[in-house]
Amino acid sequence: MDSAARARPTLRDVAQLAGVSPKTVSRVVNGEPGVSPSKAGAVERAIRQLEYRPNITASSLRRAGGRTAAVAAVLEDVSNPFSSALYRALEDVAHARDVMVFAGSVEEDPARERALVRAFAMRQADAMLIVPASDNQAYLTREVTTGTPLVFVDRPPVGLHADAVLVDNESGAADAVRHLAAHGHRDIAFLGDLHTIATARRRFQGYKEALSDHGIRPDPAHIAHDLHTTEAAEAAFGRLLDSATPPTACFSAQNLITIGAIRALRARGLQHRVAVVGFDDFPLADLLEPAVTVVSQDPYRMGRVAADILFRRLDGEDWEPTTHLVETRLIVRGSGELRPETP
């Protein structure tokens, strides 16, 4: 790590700045009685000034050099196949080093992201893998300057210079739409995730660019954003399919959205008539009829790359923070190769 990285402030540092004993600081931190208001105020001011975070990890669990033998994963939703694959990849690498992994879901809530990061920092996690939900991660500057390795996955950090593992979302989305256009489709719907998510915006941009490449003007009536659940996607795509001018094909920009789109098609008996290409693979996609054509971004591979970065940092390697790209792959299975029906 950077030789200029500052050590984490300790309880003794707080006590010295506040002009009280370490025991008094401990009482304030733990909410114990017996501390005068003036001393409690002095301790709280010192905590804020030093940005002190209590270490609630038992000292008996700590390794030599101040390590806790634990790393943290701040994920979108641990029940989502993408997040699960990231977690498993990190766990596989950590297990080989006898290191534990703590994980939590942010569910696209910036406040929850900050709360999880703070909780893991208080437990002195040696390093963190983060799939950010907030639009600015400058609040993590303290973790960087105190030497905690961070790596961002799927979405780049904003306001912070740190390692990232990403895919080219625009290119992957464009490949999906070009594939549909190559099979004769011009009325291609877009089903997207929350517009606040950077990857969702980039996939929508790739969708528009691919349509433009084929001289197709996107139909606003066939575009649906902010579909963050399977149920929302099923309802939105159902409305498009039931309209007077339904699309002949669909690009769904996230795996849970793809599942919702397929449910809408099957409920109407249209799964063999309307083409679908999804971004992100999902379990059993190859066993459906027709099997689902997807743009796969290999989250397990992304997790392995991220884990390698974290542990190399922990081993003492130092380099300028870098963005690492993992390629997407179009997997042709059947649903994306259906041609539009002729009148």
Side-chain angles (χ1 to χ4, degrees), residues 224-272:
H225 295 285
D226 298 319
L227 308 175
H228 193 56
T229 66
T230 296
E231 293 75 17
E234 180 179 1
F237 195 36
R239 287 191 292 271
L240 299 187
L241 294 172
D242 294 339
S243 67
T245 57
T248 65
C250 169
F251 168 57
S252 51
Q254 191 246 50
N255 52 13
L256 296 182
I257 295 175
T258 304
I259 293 172
I262 292 169
R263 286 179 176 173
L265 288 173
R266 295 181 70 86
R268 293 161 177 79
L270 297 174
Q271 66 269 30
H272 292 284

Side-chain angles (χ1 to χ4, degrees), residues 10-78:
T10 66
L11 183 144
R12 290 186 178 278
D13 294 331
V14 175
Q16 183 176 12
L17 181 60
V20 299
S21 70
K23 181 60 176 176
T24 298
V25 176
S26 179
R27 284 174 175 164
V28 173
V29 167
N30 293 314
E32 298 175 4
V35 181
S36 68
S38 61
K39 287 185 177 180
V43 170
E44 291 168 356
R45 287 192 295 274
I47 287 174
R48 288 194 297 271
Q49 182 176 335
L50 294 175
E51 298 182 23
Y52 169 70
R53 288 173 176 163
N55 175 11
I56 62 176
T57 304
S59 59
S60 61
L61 295 179
R62 296 179 67 81
R63 288 182 172 179
R67 296 276 180 84
T68 59
V71 296
V74 179
L75 304 169
E76 178 190 355
D77 178 356
V78 294

Side-chain angles (χ1 to χ4, degrees), residues 125-315:
D126 294 332
M128 295 190 210
L129 180 156
I130 302 172
V131 180
S134 61
D135 59 5
N136 192 299
Q137 288 76 49
Y139 73 92
L140 284 163
T141 299
R142 179 68 181 175
E143 301 307 319
V144 173
T145 57
T146 55
T148 302
L150 305 175
V151 62
F152 291 81
V153 179
D154 192 41
R155 308 165 190 177
V158 177
L160 187 74
H161 197 36
D163 291 307
V165 179
L166 313 173
V167 298
D168 190 337
N169 286 281
E170 287 186 28
S171 177
D175 286 345
V177 177
R178 291 190 188 104
H179 185 73
L180 291 168
H183 285 79
H185 295 280
R186 298 186 65 82
D187 295 320
I188 304 172
F190 175 85
L191 304 180
D193 207 331
L194 302 177
H195 73 281
T196 55
I197 301 175
T199 53
R201 295 194 299 271
R202 291 190 176 94
R203 291 171 194 175
F204 183 53
Q205 183 62 33
Y207 162 84
K208 292 189 294 183
E209 290 178 358
L211 291 182
S212 178
D213 290 344
H214 285 81
I216 302 171
R217 186 186 299 273
D219 183 351
H222 289 168
I223 295 172
H225 295 285
D226 298 319
L227 308 175
H228 193 56
T229 66
T230 296
E231 293 75 17
E234 180 179 1
F237 195 36
R239 287 191 292 271
L240 299 187
L241 294 172
D242 294 339
S243 67
T245 57
T248 65
C250 169
F251 168 57
S252 51
Q254 191 246 50
N255 52 13
L256 296 182
I257 295 175
T258 304
I259 293 172
I262 292 169
R263 286 179 176 173
L265 288 173
R266 295 181 70 86
R268 293 161 177 79
L270 297 174
Q271 66 269 30
H272 292 284
R273 297 169 58 188
V274 178
V276 174
V277 177
F279 202 112
D280 291 345
D281 207 351
F282 59 93
L284 306 182
D286 58 331
L287 298 182
L288 294 174
E289 180 55 43
V292 185
T293 296
V294 298
V295 174
S296 173
Q297 59 176 332
D298 197 351
Y300 185 84
R301 172 62 180 161
M302 295 172 73
R304 293 286 301 208
V305 172
D308 179 64
I309 291 169
L310 289 181
F311 284 106
R312 285 171 57 199
R313 291 283 195 189
L314 286 171
D315 289 342

